Amino acid sequence: MSGYLNDIQVYGPGFLSAAWTVLWLTLLTIVLSWVFGLAAALGQRSDLAWVRAIAAFYVWFIRGTPALIQIFIVYFGMPQLGIRLSPYTAGVLALAINSGAYVTEIIRSGLQAIPKGQTESSLALGFSQRATMRTIILPQVARIILPSITNEALSTLKNTSLLSTITVVELTLYAQTLISATFRPFDFYIAVAIIYLVLTTILTQLAAFFERRYARLY
Amino acid sequence: MTEEAPAPLLKLRNIRKSFGDLEVLKGIDLDVAKGEVVSIIGASGSGKSTFLRSINAIEPADKGTMDFDGQQFDFDRDSRYYPSARQLQALRARIGMVFQSYNLWPHKTVLENVIHAPMNVLGQSRAEATEVAGALLDRIGLYDKKDSSPQRLSGGQQQRVAIARALAMKPRLMLFDEVTSALDPELVHEVLMLMASLAKEGMTMLLVTHEMSFARDVSSRVLFFDRGVIGEQGAPSKVLRDPESPRLRQFLHSILHDDLSQAGAAKGLIQ
Ligand SMILES: Nc1ncnc2c1ncn2[C@@H]1O[C@H](COP(=O)(O)OP(=O)(O)O)[C@@H](O)[C@H]1O
Ligand SMILES: [Mg+2]
């Protein structure tokens, strides 16, 4: 038992900083994925055929290929085209592009769930399409999609472990470094799992809080 | 029709609209004077809703011209009078529309529903908009519900709020599209009462309705829509009691059975 206390003293700070890395990588990725997802979801409804085509291709491509390959394309593949990104930038970008495609589908279904009359009554009062989307439609969509968007955020959080493959020192890679020095894979992978559990639980609670707040607003 | 007519508030010429191959409006001409209440009746699918929606251009016509309140529009895409998006917004801000399905915004309170457009379209201050909204909600007897979610209201209450929301914009013209059709029979009366009182105050109104007694008692004119054209029009007494065309006669006959049961309820709407 005292051995484990000792472990926490020795490895705790390292794990904490790796967890911190995971946290901010995740937050950045989530925000960016919402931007991509919203853009693509609105793009799917554009009057312009080529905009719709790009949005459709994006969703099709991302959902049809493994996240790991997408990460490799951005980090290892892009330099061949002269675009060299740091592991962190490439990681966030790749994960956000990946998650954005799923967010697109979530927002799309949310938009479909809003009756046409909501838009019409807003337009009929003199609002622009844009103002209608911003003040009438999206707030309602946000409420509807909260549970699925939370799920997607959890996926993103867990997918950060994939970034260990492109030298981002997040939890998994940090643990692997320790394991190769100590030969204690069980202990350290369990430690990683526990830290992920703490993070996912916090995220879930946060989402539940927002859901309750929304419920009171209606 | 008796005194000399001033320039109409709304003047429509040759309004046409198709959805794909389906021609829904086949050249509608209509003048509506200020203060007039025009009821539109006609079979389902005859283009009544499409017509109302072309007037405030939430579904713009393909062809035809419109003069509204001194402003000219030409819905022919090639015309130089074809309205810009901004002009359409300005037009819609001056025309109120009430829908069969109320379409209140569930994420806003009753009061917020009413002040949203005055504040953000007309640029009123919150205080100003709230004062106007308060008076309107008071008028429809729902002031005490101002902080409720609209979803907690009955259909009749929601529809009255929807009317108040449109009135808060101080519209020059009100369009009503079968606004009582989704309501339980016992809630129809309160909405019709409100509309009747608006009519009495001189509001210019264009309404699609199946409430024949309302059309008869409140409107100054009745239009019979028939497959995308105005089949017959005139004073309610003439159109509803002494129709000329066989099709109108047939239509009135078909709805009479539904309406007879409710005619008693709506009678005495107007003192
Ligand atoms: N957005 C639309 N797209 C395609 N067809 C439509 C659309 N709106 C209405 N229609 C068709 O136009 C015809 C007239 O509809 P509508 O104006 O709603 O009739 P009414 O209100 O008299 O019942 C119907 O055949 C309807 O199916
Ligand atoms: Mg209709």
Side-chain angles (χ1 to χ4, degrees):
Chain A
M1 197 64 215
S2 70
Y4 279 117
L5 281 178
N6 190 44
D7 281 348
I8 289 177
Q9 249 174 13
V10 176
Y11 304 114
F15 270 111
L16 212 59
S17 103
W20 180 246
T21 303
V22 165
L23 199 64
W24 71 254
L25 282 176
T26 301
L27 291 180
L28 222 57
T29 302
I30 288 174
V31 170
L32 206 55
S33 74
W34 290 352
V35 174
F36 292 162
L38 184 59
L42 295 179
Q44 286 175 334
R45 313 187 134 209
S46 170
D47 292 333
L48 304 171
W50 63 269
V51 174
R52 290 198 304 273
I54 289 176
F57 176 82
Y58 167 57
V59 172
W60 174 71
F61 183 88
I62 296 300
R63 297 211 308 169
T65 54
L68 192 59
I69 296 302
Q70 293 160 15
I71 292 166
F72 286 174
I73 289 173
V74 174
Y75 182 64
F76 297 119
M78 299 293 265
Q80 201 188 322
L81 307 178
I83 303 168
R84 201 169 298 276
L85 302 170
S86 80
Y88 292 84
T89 311
V92 166
L93 195 62
L95 285 182
I97 289 172
N98 175 268
S99 177
Y102 297 92
V103 172
T104 302
E105 290 304 284
I106 292 170
I107 294 177
R108 194 245 290 262
S109 69
L111 286 169
Q112 275 172 350
I114 309 296
K116 225 172 138 232
Q118 292 287 307
T119 300
E120 289 178 346
S121 62
S122 175
L123 293 180
L125 286 158
F127 284 102
S128 64
Q129 288 278 2
R130 181 182 288 259
T132 298
M133 187 51 81
R134 194 170 49 79
T135 68
I136 302 302
I137 306 306
L138 289 181
Q140 296 185 57
V141 168
R143 189 204 145 146
I144 296 175
I145 67 175
L146 193 55
S148 19
I149 219 78
T150 306
N151 267 336
E152 183 51 32
L154 287 175
S155 291
T156 298
L157 171 57
K158 291 179 285 187
N159 277 344
T160 55
S161 67
L162 295 173
L163 301 187
S164 61
T165 58
I166 60 166
T167 73
V168 172
V169 187
E170 39 64 75
L171 284 164
T172 310
L173 185 55
Y174 177 66
Q176 281 167 348
T177 323
L178 296 180
I179 290 163
S180 59
T182 62
F183 307 105
R184 292 167 57 191
F186 184 79
D187 294 349
F188 286 122
Y189 282 138
I190 287 290
V192 170
I194 289 172
I195 296 172
Y196 266 113
L197 272 176
V198 170
L199 292 177
T200 51
T201 305
I202 292 172
L203 193 62
T204 313
Q205 292 304 313
L206 206 65
F209 167 78
F210 279 115
E211 215 158 326
R212 279 196 302 275
R213 234 186 55 156
Y214 264 134
R216 233 180 310 137
L217 281 180
Y218 272 64
Chain B
M1 241 158 286
T2 44
E3 294 130 56
E4 59 171 306
L9 177 71
L10 177 72
K11 182 169 145 189
L12 300 163
R13 289 295 177 270
N14 195 29
I15 295 294
R16 290 176 180 274
K17 175 79 182 174
S18 300
F19 294 108
D21 290 339
L22 180 69
E23 193 179 21
V24 176
L25 301 178
K26 301 173 184 169
I28 308 249
D29 297 340
L30 180 67
D31 288 2
V32 179
K34 197 173 173 315
E36 230 188 327
V37 177
V38 178
S39 289
I40 301 174
I41 61 173
S44 173
S46 58
K48 306 180 298 294
S49 295
T50 304
F51 180 57
L52 285 196
R53 296 152 65 82
S54 71
I55 293 173
N56 70 353
I58 55 175
E59 199 109 64
D62 302 330
K63 259 198 170 38
T65 61
M66 173 163 109
D67 289 12
F68 175 71
D69 204 12
Q71 224 181 338
Q72 295 184 329
F73 303 90
D74 189 332
F75 291 108
D76 194 327
R77 295 285 183 287
D78 302 326
S79 162
R80 65 191 189 92
Y81 288 107
Y82 188 77
S84 66
R86 199 160 283 276
Q87 284 174 316
L88 287 182
Q89 278 170 244
L91 170 74
R92 291 174 192 140
R94 291 185 295 151
I95 299 178
M97 183 159 192
V98 186
F99 303 84
Q100 179 176 337
S101 48
Y102 336 130
N103 300 343
L104 294 177
W105 303 311
H107 62 303
K108 294 180 178 296
T109 65
V110 165
L111 179 66
E112 286 166 352
N113 264 273
V114 181
I115 64 176
H116 183 54
M119 283 177 64
N120 297 292
V121 175
L122 300 181
Q124 290 179 6
S125 69
R126 177 173 290 271
E128 188 185 354
T130 305
E131 195 179 316
V132 174
L136 283 166
L137 290 175
D138 198 36
R139 167 177 184 172
I140 63 173
L142 292 174
Y143 186 80
D144 58 326
K145 301 277 192 212
K146 70 183 167 67
D147 297 319
S148 302
S149 160
Q151 287 175 312
R152 296 196 199 286
L153 306 186
S154 74
Q157 290 173 328
Q158 287 190 52
Q159 196 58 294
R160 279 145 60 204
V161 172
I163 293 173
R165 177 173 70 176
L167 290 177
M169 294 293 283
K170 304 203 162 62
R172 306 274 288 142
L173 169 69
M174 284 285 285
L175 308 174
F176 296 87
D177 192 359
E178 291 194 37
V179 297
T180 58
S181 294
L183 296 175
D184 292 336
E186 72 271 19
L187 303 177
V188 168
H189 188 68
E190 64 192 46
V191 173
L192 292 183
M193 287 283 282
L194 176 57
M195 290 167 66
S197 75
L198 284 177
K200 220 168 153 191
E201 284 166 18
M203 175 62 80
T204 313
M205 296 166 47
L206 210 53
L207 52 108
V208 173
T209 187
H210 289 309
E211 303 287 337
M212 288 305 139
S213 43
F214 186 83
R216 182 192 61 213
D217 296 339
V218 179
S219 44
S220 42
R221 189 158 35 127
V222 175
L223 310 183
F224 170 57
F225 255 59
D226 186 21
R227 294 176 290 193
V229 298
I230 297 177
E232 199 168 330
Q233 64 173 307
S237 54
K238 175 78 180 69
V239 173
L240 298 177
R241 296 225 179 91
D242 185 19
E244 274 166 25
S245 68
R247 288 190 60 85
L248 176 53
R249 228 171 292 147
Q250 190 186 1
F251 171 76
L252 289 174
H253 186 77
S254 72
I255 60 160
L256 197 62
H257 296 288
D258 308 334
D259 201 48
L260 262 182
S261 54
Q262 285 166 28
K267 222 180 164 91
L269 211 57
I270 299 303
Q271 304 82 323

